[in-house]
Structure formats: C-alpha cells, structure tokens
Amino acid sequence: MDDYTLPFWIYLCVLTMFVGGAMKKILASHLSTAPTLVAWLGATVLVERLWAFCLPAVLLLTLLGLTCCIYSATRTGPPSTNLPAHGKAVFITGCDSGFGKAAAKRLDTLGFEVFATVLDLSGEGARELQRTCSPRLTLLQVDITQPQQVQQALLDTKAVLGLRGLWALVNNAGVCVNFGDAELSLMSNFRGCMEVNFFGTLNVTKTLLPLLRQAKGRIITISSPAGDQPFPCLAAYGASKAALNLFIDTLHHELEPWGVRVSTILPAAYKTGQSSNHAYWEQQHKQLLQSLSPALVEDYGEDYINETKELFQSHASQANPDVTPVIDTIVQALLSPQPQVRYFAGPGVGLMYFIHSYCPYSLSNLFLQKLFMKKKLMPRALRKQSGFDLNLSLHNNNNNNEEEEEEKLK
C-alpha cells in the first residue's frame, strides 16, 4: 500500500463519493429496478477500483451488500406514525380545478380545516367543493396576482382561526400560457407566467408566513420539472418555475430555525386546468399568429408553428387524468413527521432527474426532446437554407464531373 500516491487516494475517495451518491440517488428515484440490484451494480464499480489494495473481493462485496440490504430494509420497514390531521388548518391556492380542487376534497375528508382559494366563487369548481365538502372548508375568492385580495384572504383566515396559527400553505395556483420557441413567445406570456407562478406565489407565501411561523407549520409548493430542466418550447413557463424553485429552496434554509418545514412537489404530466381544452389551444394559436411580425412568421413558417400546437395538444391528451399520486404526496408532506425537501410525484420523474443529474448534457437533452417535443419540421428559413446548400453541392458536383470528362477527352 505504500506504493500508492496521494493523487490515487484522492481519486479513490472522489470515486467512492460519486458511486455512493449515485446509489443514493437511484434508490430515491422511485425507479422500478430493485434497490438491491442497483446497489450491487454500484458495488462492482468500487470492487474494480479497490482490487488494487489486495482486499478480499468476497469480503468486500459481503460488507457492501450487507450495508445496502440494511439501507433497503430501513426504507421498506414499517412507516413512522403520521401526525394527526384533526385541528390542523391548511390554506390551498388554485382550487377551481386540477390538483387544488382534488387536494381540498381529500384534506377535508381527512379532517383538516381547509381554506380553499378560487378565482370564481360561482364557478363549477367552487360549487362542487361547497356541495361535497364539510362545513370545515372555507372558500375564498382570491386572484393571487392581486395584493388586495391576498390581504383580504389573510384577514378572513385569521378571523376563522382566532389565536391559532396556520399548519400549512399549499402553493398550487399556476398557469402555462404559452407554447412555442422562446423567440415566438410573446412578452406578455413571459410576464403572465411570472406574475402567477412566481410573484403571486411569493406574495401569498410572504403574507401567510407569520401564521405559519406561529404554528411551526409547513409550506408545500407544487412546481414543475420544467423549472430545473430545459424543456423545449416551455421557456416562459420554465423560467417562472425556475425562479419559484430557487425561492422555495432559499426558504427551506431560512425557515429551518423557525421550525417551518418547506417541501417542493415535482409532478409528472397530468391533465389539469386548460391542458386538455382544444378550444383554449386554438385561441392561443390564433392570438400568437396575429401578434407575431410577418418576418418571424416567414422565417419559422406557419406549418412549423402549427406543428408545435398539435404536439402540445397531443402531449396534453396523453397525460394521466388520475391526479391521485400528487394528492397522496401532498398528504404525505403534510403529515409526515420528517417531510422531504423534494418529492417526485408520478412515474418517470425520478428517472428524468437521475438522467439530468448524472448523464452528459447531450444525453439529457436528447431524452427531453424524445420525451416531450418530437418535432419533425425545421423552421422554414432553415429548410430553404438546407435546400440551397444541397442544390449548390449538386451543382458543384456536376461541374466537377464535367471537368473530369473534359480532361479524359483531352
């Protein structure tokens, strides 16, 4: 062992940390592969490097396998007792439909005191909540982009709670108002996404924080993988979620001394809100074409823009209508004695983050393109350029052939 240099030891330590981190990431990624199998695959990499130490391979594998089995047993063992829901008040934004409405109904059933915000108190979603939920549920008409309405919601909530604090805030309200390349996305779309997804959520969170600190409660935010990974044609939405993710991650550190737990839920693709409304997509598409300059429409082509709309509609139609995994995750984050900082809700999200974290960028980017936007058309200007280059190449080849023929005749 005296023959090994300091750089080798450093390399070995770095490799060990990387493999250990990769194993931990895989085991936490909700992949279908058995955790013990993945752990043993990681162990073989360590064995290959540690063989130089002349350590008995069987002993080493036995120790590593035992460690992985113990870790796996602790993960699959009996769950810790959840906290009681009775007497706990939860404030949920965006309950007109989707995750918010389903969460309000589930939490009311479990015995929570729910404050559910809706955009329209006379809308279908609000009427359904009034019809199906207990008297414990309080409906509040709130547009989270309007500070006065958020302040009024605070006063209404305090009037019901009295001297009690607020156990949890579920930041669910969000919007995706654009589709298409960043250059084709209107500035109003970027601002609209930021106003709702970031500034609106920021305002609600800051407004309710005194009540949350009083109860040593929790903040649970429904975000999106688009805030961490560059999904094609979702620049406006992704940028707003990226800002939101950083804000929530910062709160996690800042509120820890206060006893407030902060969690982010990253769901897979589900049918929520306007995602399956074809009339909505057609209206957005028409508005986009009317707002773009003729030069941009000429460069990209109406067929290219139309293909993007159709791909979005296809992706939305294939999304899962059953939002149960997300609602189950919200309940887990609310009642777990030790809630996680981040939750992956739905199939494929853990795998996506693993590829994003550990694979080369080119592979991660290819994975996103194949998973999300399988575009076949190039922008019109690029198609013209490719055709021009091809014609120029054929012309040059013909000229070269003619010159060769002339040389042979001479």
Side-chain angles (χ1 to χ4, degrees):
M1 290 189 182
D2 296 337
D3 297 333
Y4 296 106
T5 60
L6 180 62
F8 177 81
W9 284 98
I10 295 175
Y11 166 75
L12 185 65
C13 290
V14 171
L15 180 66
T16 303
M17 292 175 62
F18 173 80
V19 173
M23 290 165 58
K24 181 179 178 181
K25 191 84 173 183
I26 294 174
L27 292 173
S29 294
H30 306 292
L31 303 180
S32 58
T33 310
T36 52
L37 174 61
V38 176
W40 277 91
L41 289 176
T44 56
V45 178
L46 280 178
V47 170
E48 187 272 330
R49 302 313 305 171
L50 293 173
W51 183 262
F53 292 135
C54 299
L55 295 175
V58 176
L59 176 61
L60 182 61
L61 278 174
T62 302
L63 291 175
L64 288 173
L66 181 61
T67 302
C68 293
C69 289
I70 293 174
Y71 178 77
S72 178
T74 57
R75 285 173 51 86
T76 57
S80 56
T81 304
N82 284 337
L83 301 175
H86 180 72
K88 290 182 170 60
V90 180
F91 191 102
I92 312 174
T93 62
C95 296
D96 297 87
S97 61
F99 299 145
K101 185 176 73 173
K105 294 170 70 173
R106 172 77 73 82
L107 297 185
D108 178 74
T109 302
L110 292 175
F112 283 97
E113 187 173 356
V114 178
F115 296 86
T117 75
V118 293
L119 284 173
D120 185 4
L121 280 175
S122 60
E124 181 181 346
R127 293 199 306 269
E128 182 179 344
L129 289 175
Q130 286 177 327
R131 185 174 63 253
T132 59
C133 293
S134 72
R136 289 190 306 273
L137 184 135
T138 302
L139 280 175
L140 302 170
Q141 183 164 333
V142 180
D143 180 347
I144 66 171
T145 65
Q146 302 299 317
Q148 300 87 349
Q149 294 187 25
V150 175
Q151 283 294 329
Q152 185 60 49
L154 171 65
L155 296 176
D156 294 340
T157 302
K158 291 173 70 174
V160 175
L161 290 178
L163 298 178
R164 292 180 295 146
L166 182 66
W167 171 251
L169 164 64
V170 179
N171 285 316
N172 167 71
V175 65
C176 178
V177 295
N178 83 292
F179 56 88
D181 301 56
E183 189 178 11
L184 299 176
S185 299
L186 306 178
M187 286 302 298
S188 60
N189 290 337
F190 281 92
R191 292 190 178 97
C193 284
M194 288 298 293
E195 280 296 329
V196 177
N197 300 339
F198 178 65
F199 288 113
T201 303
L202 169 66
N203 186 28
V204 171
T205 304
K206 285 174 61 67
T207 300
L208 296 179
L209 260 177
L211 294 179
L212 293 165
R213 287 191 287 103
Q214 178 184 344
K216 296 186 184 299
R218 299 182 177 186
I219 299 174
I220 298 164
T221 301
I222 311 297
S223 187
S224 168
D228 295 319
Q229 304 179 42
F231 279 79
C233 298
L234 281 180
Y237 178 74
S240 66
K241 289 296 187 178
L244 176 64
N245 288 348
L246 184 60
F247 168 65
I248 295 300
D249 288 345
T250 304
L251 280 185
H252 168 70
H253 297 291
E254 295 177 348
L255 296 179
E256 189 174 4
W258 293 92
V260 176
R261 304 296 185 89
V262 180
S263 299
T264 301
I265 297 176
L266 300 159
Y270 291 94
K271 286 185 180 180
T272 58
Q274 300 283 0
S275 62
S276 57
N277 187 343
H278 281 209
Y280 170 80
W281 290 113
E282 292 295 339
Q283 180 185 1
Q284 292 289 313
H285 178 67
K286 182 179 179 180
Q287 180 184 354
L288 178 64
L289 288 177
Q290 292 174 345
S291 305
L292 292 175
S293 67
L296 266 181
V297 176
E298 176 63 26
D299 283 345
Y300 280 88
E302 288 191 28
D303 55 349
Y304 177 87
I305 300 173
N306 188 63
E307 182 195 40
T308 304
K309 178 204 67 173
E310 291 176 351
L311 287 172
F312 264 84
Q313 288 181 340
S314 175
H315 183 77
S317 66
Q318 296 171 8
N320 190 352
D322 182 13
V323 299
T324 302
V326 179
I327 309 307
D328 290 343
T329 306
I330 292 174
V331 174
Q332 183 181 355
L334 284 172
L335 295 180
S336 173
Q338 299 294 330
Q340 300 177 25
V341 178
R342 281 198 164 192
Y343 290 91
F344 298 146
V349 184
L351 174 61
M352 185 191 309
Y353 269 86
F354 178 77
I355 293 175
H356 177 70
S357 301
Y358 288 100
C359 294
Y361 178 80
S362 57
L363 181 60
S364 175
N365 193 43
L366 180 64
F367 178 77
L368 287 180
Q369 290 176 344
K370 296 299 183 183
L371 175 74
F372 187 59
M373 294 293 287
K374 303 174 183 178
K375 294 190 70 65
K376 297 178 181 178
L377 288 176
M378 295 175 63
R380 180 185 293 162
L382 295 180
R383 280 176 273 163
K384 288 182 178 180
Q385 180 180 339
S386 298
F388 175 77
D389 292 342
L390 179 59
N391 290 335
L392 182 61
S393 176
L394 292 174
H395 178 70
N396 290 336
N397 288 336
N398 290 336
N399 288 340
N400 292 335
N401 291 336
E402 291 175 1
E403 291 175 359
E404 290 175 2
E405 290 293 333
E406 290 177 359
E407 288 294 333
K408 290 179 179 178
L409 292 175
K410 292 178 180 180

